[in-house]
Amino acid sequence: MPANRDVALVAREVLEGAYVLLTFRHPEVAREARAGQFVMIKAGTSADPPLRRPFSILAVDPERETFSLFLKAVGAGSRALADLPPGGAAQCVGPLGRPFEPPSDGSEALMVAGGYGIAPFLLFVRELRRAGRTGRVFYGGRTVADLQVREPFTALGVSLVPATEDGSLGHRGRVTAPLEEYLDGGPGPATLYACGPDAMMRAVARVAERRGLPAQVSLDPWMGCGVGTCLGCVVRIQRPDEPQAKYRCACTEGPVFDAATVVWPGEAASLARRRAVEVKG
Amino acid sequence: MSLAVEIAGVRLKNPLIAASGTFGYGVEYEGLLDLSLLGGIVSKGLYMEPRDGCPTPRIVETPSGLLNAIGLQGVGAPAFVRDVLPRLARYDTAVFVNVCGDTVEEYAEVARVLAGAPGVAGLEINISCPNVKKGGMAFGGDPRMTHEVVAAVRKATRLPVIPKLSPNVADVALFARVCEEAGADAVSCINTLLGLVVDVEARRPKLAFGTGGLSGPAIRPVAVRMAWQAARAVKIPVIGIGGVSSAQDALEFLIVGCRAVQIGTANFVEPGVYARVLAGLEDYLGRHGLDDVNAVVGTLRFPGEGAEAGSEG
């Protein structure tokens, strides 16, 4: 069960490019969090900015009862968190939301991360390992400074394929290029997982559609409450049996959705619905 | 020490009520806090049918505030009665339902559906939502329509009828009086303030609906002023709403004459807000040697009025 707690910052590691690793003590999150779940957290009690912010849970330590976040200070809310001194107070509720579903038996997990979208995949590779499975991470960003969480993956023996738009690390260009290259090599069955900017997740969904692969995306709209009451974070989702798309809360019915059920901006129907109609027609 | 208050014949164990649109149907918060801590809950607005609401983006932060255009997405009154009310029955809190309609007839129809359901303490009449094209603020901004809606709901039910007033009018006291004349048992004051936030790069509104309703600490002084004006204008109880997140904030509304206070945007920020505000109210009463929260209601000493006026002479 998620719990609402006043928490204190246990550890803080400042990284290049406004990125920071923050560790807080929160027993429920540390014990129960699954990959893809998030917390709503806010530094201090100031009315400005008013709202908490959602962040994917990067790592947990059940023994110390702590969890860690990896975030980039991009606005007032994330900056206030990034600037917390050790021992600094925050308000935090979690773990929230639907986690990633593991790939079906025999299917390889191919994780595609953009920038801080890497966060949920560290827990995911640990879950896969515990189940005796493995996976592969494709990690993209503008420049090498956007790709800071690499060692924890390689330390777990997970192959990590970097891609940067400026070519400062790994493949030069979009992260979907090495993903497609790998898929062209004809591996076995695969399931795609994406977390990052909307354009990247949509590109991964297109790759999955073209190749007939299952895909899960972790959507990241503006959230007000995180528990399904403000209805601010809704996304258009359409399951195969639904004639009309429905607004569903990313916080409670997501953030992880089957990519085929997402109605992307400008589209009239989801892939899952179009397929269902084709079969019937 | 007593925190109990009475609104339209309904006894609340304390004056704190969760505001419509900020607490879902109540059950969403079941695991996070003890709902029996609350004096009452007002449900998300309900029409007869389920509603999709506005396109996205629906919310944007502002300085100490939140601008929203949700557009009353909801499950509809029959589903609420069937699926939610039985779950709320196990908590010791008063359940109010926020009633919406595209037409006067629909308000009355929703009221009848809820009047026949067990466990509803009263109806809050939504004549003030700024984010729908029909009903909502269009009714609450027109005294004649306000009268018509409130009178129609009054005829449809014996439950307490509590219109929620719009702040987007020149004279809120006039609307409070119209509600009282039409048979309302209390008024909630206020709904959100109509606002607009512009994305200057795109030169478009940040909300997909265009305008939205502003809530949060940013609106509190306006809300307190309007609640004060309404409370002076009518004999029925006024329930204050607008930017409450502390005992101090709640006390401002009580002191200007409100019998109860709704907590809205603060629910999103801090699900534990009720316990903190209740402790603060008890502390305040203790410091002022009072043993009943009702002793605070309407005790504002305004310059130029009452005892103050004499001292000026």
Side-chain angles (χ1 to χ4, degrees):
Chain A
M1 286 285 280
N4 180 50
R5 287 183 176 275
D6 293 332
V7 296
L9 184 71
V10 176
R12 172 172 175 261
E13 187 183 342
V14 178
L15 307 169
E16 245 183 282
Y19 287 97
V20 62
L21 279 168
L22 303 173
T23 300
F24 297 92
R25 191 174 167 279
H26 189 306
E28 289 81 6
V29 173
R31 250 191 340 257
E32 298 166 22
R34 287 191 49 204
Q37 289 192 300
F38 65 99
V39 295
M40 289 293 285
I41 187 167
K42 170 180 169 169
T45 56
S46 163
D48 197 19
L51 299 176
R52 299 186 184 191
R53 297 287 187 273
F55 293 103
S56 292
I57 299 155
L58 173 79
V60 294
D61 185 336
E63 271 174 37
R64 291 202 174 87
E65 301 189 321
T66 62
F67 72 91
S68 300
L69 302 177
F70 170 64
L71 58 97
K72 186 176 187 179
V74 290
S78 50
R79 189 162 303 118
L81 272 170
D83 289 346
L84 268 180
Q91 309 176 62
C92 173
V93 61
L96 300 168
R98 273 162 63 121
F100 289 117
E101 298 279 346
S104 56
D105 284 347
S107 180
E108 185 186 19
L110 302 181
M111 294 158 263
V112 187
Y116 51 82
I118 193 72
F121 292 130
L122 189 55
L123 274 184
F124 197 41
V125 298
R126 288 181 197 276
E127 285 177 9
L128 291 170
R129 253 168 86 93
R130 275 200 296 275
R133 319 276 300 264
T134 180
R136 188 173 287 267
V137 177
F138 299 85
Y139 191 5
R142 267 197 297 265
T143 181
V144 61
D146 294 322
L147 273 55
Q148 302 207 28
V149 186
R150 304 196 301 273
E151 283 76 13
F153 288 93
T154 46
L156 288 166
V158 175
S159 34
L160 184 142
V161 183
T164 50
E165 284 171 33
D166 67 357
S168 53
L169 184 72
H171 177 93
R172 184 191 190 103
R174 298 279 162 83
V175 68
T176 41
L179 170 71
E180 296 242 45
E181 214 169 273
Y182 178 74
L183 291 168
D184 286 341
T191 302
L192 308 188
Y193 297 87
C195 182
D198 287 347
M200 186 211 83
M201 288 194 282
R202 193 167 178 180
V204 172
R206 285 207 181 99
V207 171
E209 177 177 353
R210 274 201 306 275
R211 295 174 183 263
L213 300 174
Q216 296 171 31
V217 290
S218 176
L219 301 182
D220 183 27
W222 264 95
M223 271 182 199
C225 68
V227 296
T229 64
C230 79
L231 308 180
C233 70
V234 295
V235 288
R236 289 179 72 212
I237 299 294
Q238 187 178 29
R239 295 176 184 147
D241 58 337
E242 293 174 337
Q244 299 292 328
K246 284 196 176 127
Y247 281 124
R248 293 191 159 96
C249 283
C251 61
T252 51
E253 300 201 46
V256 176
F257 290 96
D258 176 347
T261 65
V262 176
V263 182
W264 301 96
E267 285 184 351
S270 71
L271 172 64
R273 178 63 185 172
R274 282 182 274 130
R275 279 181 180 151
V277 172
E278 274 165 30
V279 169
K280 266 197 244 164
Chain B
M1 189 173 291
S2 171
L3 291 180
V5 299
E6 198 181 299
I7 298 285
V10 181
R11 186 184 179 277
L12 309 179
K13 66 167 68 164
N14 66 60
L16 304 185
I17 305 170
S20 182
T22 65
F23 210 69
Y25 303 110
V27 292
E28 293 88 340
Y29 281 104
E30 267 179 321
L32 287 177
L33 74 154
D34 177 7
L35 297 181
S36 297
L37 271 179
L38 282 69
I41 292 169
V42 190
S43 79
K44 175 80 183 159
L46 292 166
Y47 292 88
M48 281 304 291
E49 303 287 329
R51 285 276 178 141
D52 282 346
C54 291
T56 58
R58 291 176 166 187
I59 56 172
V60 59
E61 268 186 319
T62 67
S64 300
L66 178 66
L67 191 75
N68 87 80
I70 307 297
L72 296 172
Q73 179 179 338
V75 299
F80 173 82
V81 169
R82 186 184 65 231
D83 302 333
V84 182
L85 274 180
R87 283 174 70 186
L88 289 175
R90 67 183 92 133
Y91 299 103
D92 178 20
T93 190
V95 176
F96 297 89
V97 180
N98 186 277
V99 173
C100 305
D102 282 341
T103 61
V104 174
E105 294 70 36
E106 188 176 4
Y107 280 97
E109 198 183 351
V110 173
R112 275 191 292 270
V113 166
L114 294 161
V120 177
L123 304 181
E124 185 176 77
I125 313 306
N126 189 340
I127 48 169
S128 44
C129 176
N131 302 322
V132 289
K133 297 212 166 81
K134 287 190 277 183
M137 203 173 84
F139 287 167
D142 177 336
R144 200 174 51 80
M145 289 309 301
T146 295
H147 192 283
E148 204 174 312
V149 173
V150 175
V153 175
R154 172 74 291 158
K155 256 175 74 179
T157 178
R158 292 199 335 227
L159 286 172
V161 171
I162 309 171
K164 185 168 179 178
L165 301 179
S166 172
N168 304 302
V169 296
D171 182 6
V172 75
L174 167 73
F175 285 86
R177 277 194 298 268
V178 167
C179 290
E180 186 174 45
E181 284 160 20
D185 300 285
V187 290
S188 297
C189 183
I190 55 177
N191 206 317
T192 54
L193 282 151
L194 191 62
L196 174 61
V197 173
V198 176
D199 176 340
V200 297
E201 295 302 323
R203 303 190 192 184
R204 296 177 60 88
K206 283 200 174 172
L207 297 179
F209 187 71
T211 54
L214 185 65
S215 65
I219 72 165
R220 196 173 59 242
V222 176
V224 171
R225 182 266 297 174
M226 287 194 155
W228 169 67
Q229 290 176 318
R232 286 153 52 107
V234 293
K235 293 196 179 66
I236 54 176
V238 174
I239 303 171
I241 322 172
V244 172
S245 64
S246 72
Q248 294 284 329
D249 304 340
L251 283 159
E252 285 197 48
F253 282 98
L254 297 172
I255 288 167
V256 303
C258 298
R259 306 273 188 89
V261 175
Q262 292 186 13
I263 293 183
T265 305
N267 289 308
F268 302 151
V269 183
E270 187 192 355
V273 63
Y274 296 94
R276 190 168 54 76
V277 174
L278 288 172
L281 286 178
E282 291 193 342
D283 175 65
Y284 178 89
L285 294 180
R287 281 193 293 111
H288 288 261
L290 302 170
D291 60 3
D292 184 345
V293 73
N294 291 288
V296 176
V297 172
T299 55
L300 181 71
R301 296 188 303 154
F302 198 80
E305 292 181 355
E308 296 272 337
S311 65
E312 276 172 16

